Amino acid sequence: MLVGGTSASEETASRFVDAWAREDFEAMHGELSPGAARRYPLGRFTTMYEEAEVTGTVARLEGGDPDGTGSISGQEVVNLPVTVHTHAFGEISANLALPVDGAELAWRPHLVFPGLAPGEELDRNVEVPERAPILARDRTPLAEGDGAARSSPVGGATLYVAGELGAPKGEQAVAVQRRGFPVGTLVGTSGLELAFETRLAGQPGGELIAVGGQGGTKRVLGAADPVEGEPVRTTINPDLQEATAEALGNTFGGVAVLDAKNGNVLGLAGIAFSSPQPPGSTFKIVTTVAALEAGVVKLSDTFPVETSTVVGGREISNAHDEPCGGTFTQSFARSCNTVFAPLGPEIGNDGLVNTSERFGFNSPPTLYNAEARAITEPGESTIPTSIGTDLDLGVSAIGQGEVLATPLELASISQTIAAGGVRSPTPMVTEPELGPDAEPVKVTSGKIASTVRDLMVGVVEGGTGTAAAIPGVEVAGKTGTAELGPAPVSPEEQGGEQEQEQDAWFTAFAPAGNPKLAVAVLVASTTEDGGTVAAPIAREVLAAGL
């Protein structure tokens, strides 16, 4: 801080360095003398400082108080100590001799970095550490090696989890160079490679040098050793990850597999947590919990067998216009829209929204810490907090309208039921500092969870999910099919009955009596239903895992 008795030139020098610490290049340029400002316009002046910051891997800069004035070659200068904290070359402190012309700076290019002499420029020699591996829970590498040679013994199945490396672009490219990495260095562009880029890549070291000046000499301004990256150990089961990827194959969709006891992510494939879609009738698990808690339905209730019903003045039909009804158990097993849509208005907005949010809707998925989530922005499953009319409530109760979910969310819903009504976080990494800052949430009572479990067992034993049945294993599941609109047709097919494009879902856990795995499958943009195309994929994954 300046004290009384400072000169105008010292005040100018202090303002200049204070602006430099804020990276306010316009304010810095405003302190230049007219002659210096003409020779070095703001755009060029700014570029010179930005390039020096990249070369010097500048993290931050601190300036001290002026240490008096002097003269160099007849030019008055203000001496001011400056410390630069760099990413790759340690802490560099130097005395900055700022030439002054009265109350203005007679600025010169060597002032872009403390320690440079007139005629010198900044350069660097860097040493880059090897990129650290991403490991499965048993320490099998999911990704190892450097750059384009990065690979895994598990093969391409790991890409859904580990992600990929690529050339940085825009601001990311500048940030990578500013950390000391050479141009052309590949960085994480998706998955855990992106989420934990800084940890995996480590920190380059080397020498920051001043080149040029008299005799073309080179002087070392700062030096540091490179810092090795740290591995990221995940919760992934490599065998189950491979089976999950194989089960999905080339199908457009996603699969998520969780440990049914603690929520750990064991396998992911496709758009498992990146692109929320209407969940269709899998959401009826949430609706059932809300309805049982509100007392608007009992297992002993019976419902008329009908093909459609009217909610909020609009007709809502069952899938394929099939007659559906009977006991509530039968209605759940056969996924009767005519039973579940009217429950929406009876449960009410608050009941449906609050139950959904306890299940994890309207919150970011808890895969890893907040910093990593901000980088990767995983898809958030959502439901409007103010749903609207009775019709909107009815449509939401059957998982359509504005309700959106990911396979990860649906797997978490099954995990919650499997765990007696307690939803666990869904971490994908094991290190505490990298994992999510989240605690288990009591969603519903053990009694209601047990009731829903039995209803889900009925879906697989004799309802819409029989394609998920595994001999000798009791599977609890729920199908879902969300209509998206008419499916595209070729010119040759026009004129016939147009099929509906829809998202096909299935979520489950097994064994039902002693749950080990929870799974959810989305087959997106298909003309088939969840019981036909999603349930068999879930069965394949569960069979491999069990």
Side-chain angles (χ1 to χ4, degrees):
M1 178 180 293
L2 292 176
V3 296
T6 57
S7 66
S9 58
E10 289 176 318
E11 291 179 355
T12 298
S14 290
R15 288 196 301 271
F16 181 85
V17 173
D18 288 345
W20 191 359
R22 303 191 306 270
E23 294 190 313
D24 187 346
F25 301 119
E26 185 173 359
M28 294 167 66
H29 192 264
E31 301 293 345
L32 271 56
S33 66
R38 284 193 300 270
R39 283 191 298 273
Y40 307 102
L42 177 60
R44 181 183 176 193
F45 177 87
T46 299
T47 298
M48 294 170 73
Y49 270 95
E50 289 176 340
E51 290 177 348
E53 289 188 345
V54 170
T55 302
T57 71
V58 175
R60 59 188 175 89
L61 177 143
E62 298 172 347
D65 291 335
D67 191 20
T69 60
S71 177
I72 299 178
S73 300
Q75 171 73 61
E76 182 185 2
V77 296
V78 175
N79 297 308
L80 196 148
V82 174
T83 298
V84 180
H85 302 268
T86 73
H87 292 289
F89 311 111
E91 185 179 293
I92 300 171
S93 296
N95 187 61
L96 193 67
L98 287 170
V100 292
D101 184 3
E104 298 166 332
L105 297 183
W107 189 86
R108 295 293 183 269
H110 70 280
L111 297 171
V112 295
F113 199 89
L116 289 179
E120 289 183 330
E121 295 181 348
L122 206 58
D123 201 356
R124 69 188 190 187
N125 296 317
V126 296
E127 183 181 349
V128 178
E130 183 176 356
R131 192 175 182 89
I134 298 173
L135 305 173
R137 67 178 185 176
D138 65 357
R139 298 192 179 277
T140 297
L142 300 178
E144 61 180 344
D146 265 335
R150 202 153 169 85
S151 62
S152 168
V154 185
T158 65
L159 287 178
Y160 296 117
V161 174
E164 297 182 281
L165 301 181
K169 298 178 181 179
E171 292 182 3
Q172 187 187 24
V174 174
V176 168
Q177 292 179 51
R178 193 159 177 165
R179 282 165 46 208
F181 291 92
V183 174
T185 299
L186 299 182
V187 300
T189 56
S190 63
L192 295 176
E193 298 278 23
L194 172 61
F196 299 107
E197 163 64 27
T198 302
R199 177 187 175 96
L200 293 165
Q203 177 55 59
E207 295 180 334
L208 185 65
I209 54 178
V211 298
Q214 293 183 346
T217 59
K218 294 184 178 181
R219 295 186 300 110
V220 176
L221 301 178
D225 293 327
V227 178
E228 296 291 330
E230 295 183 66
V232 172
R233 189 176 177 187
T234 73
T235 59
I236 297 297
N237 178 317
D239 294 332
L240 190 52
Q241 174 62 30
E242 192 168 13
T244 299
E246 288 179 357
L248 183 64
N250 295 322
T251 300
F252 176 48
V255 183
V257 190
L258 305 180
D259 185 313
K261 297 186 184 302
N262 58 26
N264 285 355
V265 176
L266 303 179
L268 297 170
I271 53 172
F273 60 88
S274 57
S275 300
Q277 304 290 323
S281 293
T282 53
F283 188 78
K284 290 173 182 174
I285 298 172
V286 179
T287 303
T288 298
V289 169
L292 291 172
E293 288 183 341
V296 300
V297 72
K298 301 185 298 294
L299 292 187
S300 58
D301 291 345
T302 58
F303 302 87
V305 176
E306 51 192 356
T307 60
S308 66
T309 190
V310 175
V311 178
R314 176 180 159 186
E315 184 179 24
I316 294 179
S317 302
N318 291 317
H320 312 298
D321 293 322
E322 292 180 352
C324 202
T327 66
F328 186 74
T329 299
Q330 292 171 326
S331 300
F332 188 95
R334 298 178 59 194
S335 200
C336 301
N337 290 341
T338 50
V339 173
F340 279 86
L343 290 179
E346 292 187 58
I347 296 167
N349 182 91
D350 291 349
L352 196 58
V353 172
N354 291 341
T355 305
S356 300
E357 291 184 341
R358 293 199 302 274
F359 270 108
F361 282 80
N362 297 338
S363 298
T366 52
L367 293 168
Y368 25 64
N369 60 25
E371 181 180 358
R373 288 200 304 272
I375 295 171
T376 57
E377 297 181 342
E380 185 173 312
S381 300
T382 56
I383 185 171
T385 54
S386 180
I387 296 173
T389 65
D390 283 356
L391 173 60
D392 297 325
L393 287 165
V395 170
S396 297
I398 59 175
Q400 301 236 185
E402 295 184 57
V403 180
L404 298 174
T406 63
L408 178 64
E409 169 62 26
L410 265 299
S412 179
I413 289 174
S414 280
Q415 185 274 324
T416 300
I417 300 302
V422 177
R423 173 171 63 89
S424 295
T426 55
M428 195 161 59
V429 290
T430 58
E431 290 87 353
E433 73 274 15
L434 305 183
D437 183 15
E439 297 294 332
V441 175
K442 183 173 178 59
V443 175
T444 191
S445 68
K447 180 179 180 181
I448 288 179
S450 177
T451 297
V452 176
R453 178 199 63 199
D454 293 343
L455 292 172
M456 293 173 68
V457 168
V459 171
V460 179
E461 288 185 344
T464 56
T466 55
I470 301 173
V473 177
E474 189 176 48
V475 178
K478 183 70 188 77
T479 56
T481 306
E483 294 183 355
L484 305 177
V489 295
S490 65
E492 294 79 12
E493 297 173 317
Q494 290 181 359
E497 184 177 351
Q498 194 166 3
E499 294 183 302
Q500 288 291 312
E501 187 174 36
Q502 49 204 18
D503 286 339
W505 292 84
F506 188 76
T507 186
F509 60 90
N514 182 24
K516 292 181 173 59
L517 298 177
V519 63
V521 177
L522 162 66
V523 176
S525 301
T526 179
T527 56
E528 302 289 346
D529 59 39
T532 301
V533 292
I537 295 174
R539 179 194 63 219
E540 187 175 342
V541 172
L542 289 172
L546 296 174

